Amino acid sequence: MEHVTLTTDRIVLRPVGPEDTDAVYAAAQDPAIQRWTTVPSPYLPEHAVGFTERIVPDGWAQGSMFTFGVFVTGGELAGMLALTTRSPGTAEIGFWAAREHRGRGYVVEATLTACRWAFTEAGVDRVEWRAEVGNHASRAVAERAGFTVEGVLRSGVANKGVRRDCWIGSLLPSDLGLPSTAPYLPARP
């Protein structure tokens, strides 16, 4: 798929590239990012190079992972967001915010913007969010973006060689007032 740039009044979402390697490396030094996400720990310069020069472009080229840097006005990296295809019509979202940009709503805004794009342009009908139980910052972003937390998956995520329980939630096109590509028939209690 061709690279996509998405904009709002406050942020620009675009694929990161080699010009962003230093900013990605610097942001990923944050212990909270290394603790709660699947980035390597310690996060070395070669990890940032591999991410910006191989992982991101390969994901876009294969249509398997759509990674966006979240940039504020002026071009500073405020966070990272990826939508990874899990099955036809389903993508999983992952994100982090740079320490100095937390609490400003940038990642919530990026999540909503990227999900709208996925629902209208990428054939996605369900975006799943997962976070290790205890990652309250991630859960707050998901809930503010309108995700429905559906429960806990035992041993639902692997992070740095350890299986952990995780929260799981979903966002559907209808949650944002958008049509689905396929009919949806919810269960009736």
Side-chain angles (χ1 to χ4, degrees):
M1 178 177 268
E2 291 292 320
H3 289 187
V4 172
T5 298
L6 307 171
T7 60
T8 73
D9 291 340
R10 300 187 324 143
I11 58 173
V12 173
L13 283 78
R14 64 165 175 79
V16 292
E19 69 278 10
D20 304 304
T21 300
D22 291 342
V24 169
Y25 172 74
Q29 296 310 300
D30 179 7
I33 291 173
Q34 291 186 28
R35 163 61 182 94
W36 294 110
T37 73
T38 58
V39 302
S41 181
Y43 195 81
L44 305 174
E46 54 264 31
H47 296 128
V49 169
F51 181 71
T52 60
E53 294 185 17
R54 286 185 302 281
I55 293 172
V56 172
D58 289 354
W60 278 93
Q62 297 164 7
S64 59
M65 183 170 61
F66 308 109
T67 303
F68 296 94
V70 179
F71 296 89
V72 294
T73 305
E76 189 175 352
L77 180 68
M80 195 66 57
L81 179 146
L83 289 161
T84 304
T85 302
R86 292 296 178 215
S87 62
T90 302
E92 183 177 334
I93 194 165
F95 45 75
W96 54 255
R99 181 184 322 190
E100 61 274 12
H101 293 288
R102 290 186 188 134
R104 298 181 184 168
Y106 296 134
V107 176
V108 172
E109 192 172 330
T111 296
L112 286 165
T113 301
C115 287
R116 280 189 192 97
W117 169 79
F119 293 145
T120 59
E121 303 296 327
V124 172
D125 281 322
R126 176 181 167 89
V127 175
E128 292 182 352
W129 158 84
R130 295 172 193 228
E132 183 180 328
V133 172
N135 188 346
H136 295 284
S138 181
R139 183 170 176 153
V141 167
E143 289 178 334
R144 287 184 184 121
F147 280 72
T148 297
V149 177
E150 298 171 336
V152 174
L153 298 177
R154 296 181 314 142
S155 187
V157 294
N159 191 355
K160 297 165 188 70
V162 177
R163 302 288 317 174
R164 300 174 187 270
D165 294 348
C166 72
W167 291 312
I168 185 168
S170 68
L171 188 71
L172 305 178
S174 58
D175 297 330
L176 301 180
L178 299 170
S180 295
T181 62
Y184 168 49
L185 183 60
R188 297 183 188 226

